[in-house]
Amino acid sequence: MVRLERLWQEKTLQSILGLAIGTAFGFLLQKGGVTRYDVILGQLLLSDFTVLKVMFSAVLVGMVGVHAMRAAGLVRLHVREGSLGATVAGGLIFGAGFALLGYCPGTAAAASGSGALDAAVGMAGIVVGAGIFARIYPFLEGKVLGFGRFPAATIPELLGVPPGRVAAVFSVLIAAFLAVLAASGI
């Protein structure tokens, strides 16, 4: 059995793998058409569900892959506990950025990689915003991010059921939702 513990010690290899996987992810986003502004706008207006299909497909593949690797003992999950304050603040910032720019961070990076000037300017804004967040993080950590801590870090912990069972249920629900979208021609 291949152990990934050595990879956890190799920071340079982690960076190279991150760059390679990020580049592949951006390529797939580009090929899937979700880096095009009109496709993203169509998703926000609920007239084109390409983005939803691509993201749900990615969630499904990722969820099955992570749980398969976890079951095989190849990986350990490091889940950070969430809170109402962090979720609301993050959702508002993400939503405002998405609405103003027309891209989420992943699609903005992929679109700027394909030469979209608006996405490149947006990436600069994302970097500035990340810097501002890092600067005010100590204040946010004490006043906002810890407000309303969730009673559990994961859905399986909250429900008291094995993680694989929750992953199986969500996999079926996502697959059914994607099948309904495909059958309805949306």
Side-chain angles (χ1 to χ4, degrees), residues 79-96 133 137 140-141 143-155:
V79 180
R80 181 182 172 156
E81 291 184 11
S83 71
L84 185 61
T87 302
V88 170
L92 289 173
I93 293 169
F94 183 88
F133 176 78
Y137 183 80
L140 292 174
E141 186 178 31
K143 303 289 184 190
V144 177
L145 302 180
F147 174 76
R149 290 214 178 270
F150 294 154
T154 65
I155 294 171

Side-chain angles (χ1 to χ4, degrees), residues 20-184:
I21 292 170
T23 301
F25 184 65
F27 175 78
L28 293 174
L29 288 177
Q30 172 69 21
K31 286 299 180 187
V34 295
T35 59
R36 293 187 6 229
Y37 181 78
D38 58 323
V39 172
I40 295 171
L41 183 62
Q43 180 60 67
L44 294 174
L45 297 174
L46 303 178
S47 62
D48 182 346
F49 289 88
T50 301
V51 175
L52 195 64
K53 292 174 189 173
V54 168
M55 292 304 165
F56 270 13
S57 298
V59 167
L60 182 61
V61 170
M63 183 169 46
V64 170
V66 164
H67 283 283
M69 289 191 294
R70 182 178 180 203
L74 296 174
V75 296
R76 286 180 287 152
L77 301 182
H78 303 277
V79 180
R80 181 182 172 156
E81 291 184 11
S83 71
L84 185 61
T87 302
V88 170
L92 289 173
I93 293 169
F94 183 88
F98 201 162
L100 290 171
L101 180 61
Y103 298 102
C104 71
T107 57
S112 65
S114 67
L117 180 59
D118 60 337
V121 172
M123 288 300 297
I126 289 171
V127 170
V128 170
I132 292 170
F133 176 78
R135 206 67 160 136
I136 64 172
Y137 183 80
F139 168 79
L140 292 174
E141 186 178 31
K143 303 289 184 190
V144 177
L145 302 180
F147 174 76
R149 290 214 178 270
F150 294 154
T154 65
I155 294 171
E157 288 175 15
L158 181 67
L159 299 176
V161 296
R165 191 174 300 168
V166 173
V169 169
F170 274 97
S171 295
V172 169
L173 291 175
I174 290 172
F177 181 70
L178 291 172
V180 168
L181 285 179
S184 63

